[in-house]
Amino acid sequence: MSSTRHFMTELQAVPQMDLAAQYAAIGAEIREAVANVLASQQFVLGKEGAALEREVAELCGVQHGIGVASGTDALILALRAVGVSAGDEVILPPFTFVATGSAVSALGAKPVFADIDPQTFNIHPDEIAKRISSRTRAILVVHLYGLAADMDPIRSVAQRAGIPVVEDNAQAIGAAYKGKPTGALGDVACISFYPTKNLGAYGDAGMIVTNSAEMDTRLRTLRNHGQASRYNSVEPGWNSRLDELQATILGVKLRYLRDWENARRAHAAEYSKLLAPVSAVKPPHIPAGYQHVFHQYTIRAQRRDELQKFLSDRKIGNAVYYPIPLHLQPIYATLGHQRGSFPESERAANEVVSLPLFPELKSEQIARVCAAIAEFYRG
Ligand SMILES: Cc1ncc(COP(=O)(O)O)c(C=O)c1O
């Protein structure tokens, strides 16, 4: 009896995300697709990967897609392909997942941080301009939470300096900026298919997209031991290929991505409407002309840590992406930054909290989350 009651309480919890609900809806199609790959016994660099490369490139409005083993590998290979190597500098925001920085470090290059725009949480174009030096080899822009960075001024700065722009599009597949998809806004873009992403694999996977045929050829070489043709290695490369099982799973899910995105946007609008009267929180800002895909629904909240505890006590999912900006991470201690070096990134790290968001989320659940937030600030 008591375990039944416990189960009922658990059922009323609002999870941060719910991949099981998605699997319940599409599991039969996924199992069939996986069975076909198993029957083919072709697991690496086959037709499923090639088909997914075409489809994702098309979604991003570019000519080429190159499947790789993760979003992090996509960043490392793309940075290498635009010419980054040891001793170079790469400009990036400190308010991001550590992979954005560690990809730069993996090549022996130096991350040079540029603070964010507090409205969008994305790298500020003016901050980039201040940090360009003779050693800058790339600008690495992150489209955080599913919202594009302000790419027009960023591209202008980059063009004036003759520096390539790499998009970290790990969180924003399907988003758009002034009518153009993320992935088509720089010289090359990197996508993560980590399971929790809007388009998530059942393991690690990633892709690089670009309009450059030259970069496409180079990246296919880099992901496969630097082999320009079989057993002919022309430069040091990696083993970083997207496997056929992940590709076929992603191919099934891709058919639903637009519907899922629309559901996410509708949920976000509902949250923002219900939270509007709560002056202690600030819902996400969507600048005019941007299409947000709400990988996360992230608010700024007064007394954030207390609010988190209040929500967790009521079994309401919540998470902070990201609590420590990169310039304050132990791996970057040697760069000599301190608290106060990038004030907007630090303020965001202290104030943000992401609320439950996934396509299958119900209106009642959104209402429950918002009621709990209102109750917290009333109390
Ligand atoms: C902004 C950002 N960059 C890079 C990555 C790395 O992607 P992956 O986990 O697929 O290596 C992620 C996701 O984890 C991310 O959110």
Side-chain angles (χ1 to χ4, degrees):
M1 183 65 194
S2 70
S3 71
T4 312
R5 222 178 359 248
H6 177 69
F7 182 54
M8 295 297 289
T9 318
E10 288 296 319
L11 269 186
Q12 286 163 10
V14 186
Q16 175 72 3
M17 66 175 317
D18 187 358
L19 286 173
Q22 185 188 78
Y23 185 63
I26 63 168
E29 278 175 89
I30 298 267
R31 287 188 292 274
E32 189 186 334
V34 167
N36 289 338
V37 170
L38 295 180
S40 79
Q41 288 293 298
Q42 168 125 33
F43 297 112
V44 175
L45 296 182
K47 68 180 176 39
E48 295 297 328
L52 189 76
E53 290 176 341
R54 282 193 300 275
E55 287 166 4
V56 172
E58 193 186 333
L59 177 86
C60 294
V62 296
Q63 294 294 315
H64 310 282
I66 304 97
V68 293
S70 70
T72 306
D73 279 5
L75 288 167
I76 295 171
L77 271 63
L79 289 167
R80 171 67 93 221
V82 301
V84 174
S85 54
D88 291 335
E89 293 180 357
V90 175
I91 298 176
L92 69 152
F95 190 57
T96 179
F97 182 55
V98 69
T100 315
S102 57
V104 173
S105 307
L107 294 170
K110 178 183 171 191
V112 172
F113 299 117
D115 211 354
I116 56 165
D117 177 340
Q119 295 272 2
T120 62
F121 301 111
N122 283 322
I123 195 165
H124 199 302
D126 297 346
E127 296 296 314
I128 296 176
K130 287 189 223 160
R131 285 172 174 78
I132 288 178
S133 81
S134 58
R135 282 199 297 244
T136 310
R137 188 51 77 101
I139 297 169
L140 176 52
V141 171
V142 182
H143 307 308
L144 202 70
Y145 303 145
L147 179 73
D150 190 5
M151 293 304 289
D152 280 350
I154 292 173
R155 266 206 310 263
S156 302
V157 170
Q159 265 160 19
R160 272 200 305 277
I163 295 165
V165 176
V166 178
E167 298 173 71
D168 180 340
N169 196 27
Q171 301 190 2
I173 187 170
Y177 170 83
K178 302 187 181 174
K180 225 174 161 188
T182 57
L185 302 171
D187 294 274
V188 60
C190 306
I191 298 166
S192 165
F193 299 124
Y194 185 75
T196 57
K197 296 293 194 267
N198 288 18
L199 179 63
Y202 288 0
D204 279 308
M207 195 172 287
I208 305 163
V209 292
T210 180
N211 259 326
S212 158
E214 201 181 318
M215 200 107 72
D216 175 58
T217 305
R218 178 104 187 269
L219 286 162
R220 285 177 197 287
T221 304
L222 285 174
R223 75 172 172 182
N224 198 15
H225 307 287
Q227 296 178 101
S229 54
R230 204 161 188 211
Y231 304 130
N232 172 38
S233 281
V234 294
E235 66 174 314
W238 285 262
N239 172 3
S240 184
R241 300 167 307 218
L242 170 64
D243 73 70
E244 290 287 283
L245 285 168
Q246 299 306 340
T248 201
I249 290 164
L250 289 163
V252 170
K253 287 184 153 202
L254 189 55
R255 293 183 223 138
Y256 296 92
L257 186 65
R258 289 298 182 199
D259 288 346
W260 290 338
E261 249 170 58
N262 289 333
R264 284 174 179 275
R265 257 193 297 275
H267 299 332
E270 215 168 320
Y271 268 125
S272 293
K273 193 172 102 199
L274 294 177
L275 290 175
V278 186
S279 59
V281 305
K282 194 165 177 295
H285 171 67
I286 312 171
Y290 288 56
Q291 179 88 302
H292 201 318
V293 290
F294 287 101
H295 172 55
Q296 298 295 340
Y297 181 87
T298 305
I299 59 173
R300 283 185 192 265
Q302 290 174 18
R303 294 159 50 215
R304 192 268 319 270
D305 295 354
E306 283 172 66
L307 173 65
Q308 274 201 285
K309 181 171 181 320
F310 186 86
L311 294 175
S312 300
D313 286 349
R314 281 152 188 75
K315 301 202 182 311
I316 291 174
N318 61 85
V320 173
Y321 306 109
Y322 295 93
I324 306 173
L326 267 52
H327 67 284
L328 299 177
Q329 291 278 348
I331 54 164
Y332 293 126
T334 51
L335 295 178
H337 300 299
Q338 289 133 24
R339 219 162 272 286
S341 297
F342 300 96
E344 290 303 343
S345 294
E346 291 167 35
R347 194 159 70 85
N350 290 329
E351 293 181 357
V352 296
V353 58
S354 299
L355 302 179
L357 187 65
F358 49 92
E360 301 78 9
L361 190 68
K362 304 265 187 300
S363 284
E364 308 84 82
Q365 294 176 303
I366 296 172
R368 192 170 155 230
V369 177
C370 295
I373 293 172
E375 187 193 336
F376 171 73
Y377 288 109
R378 265 200 314 273

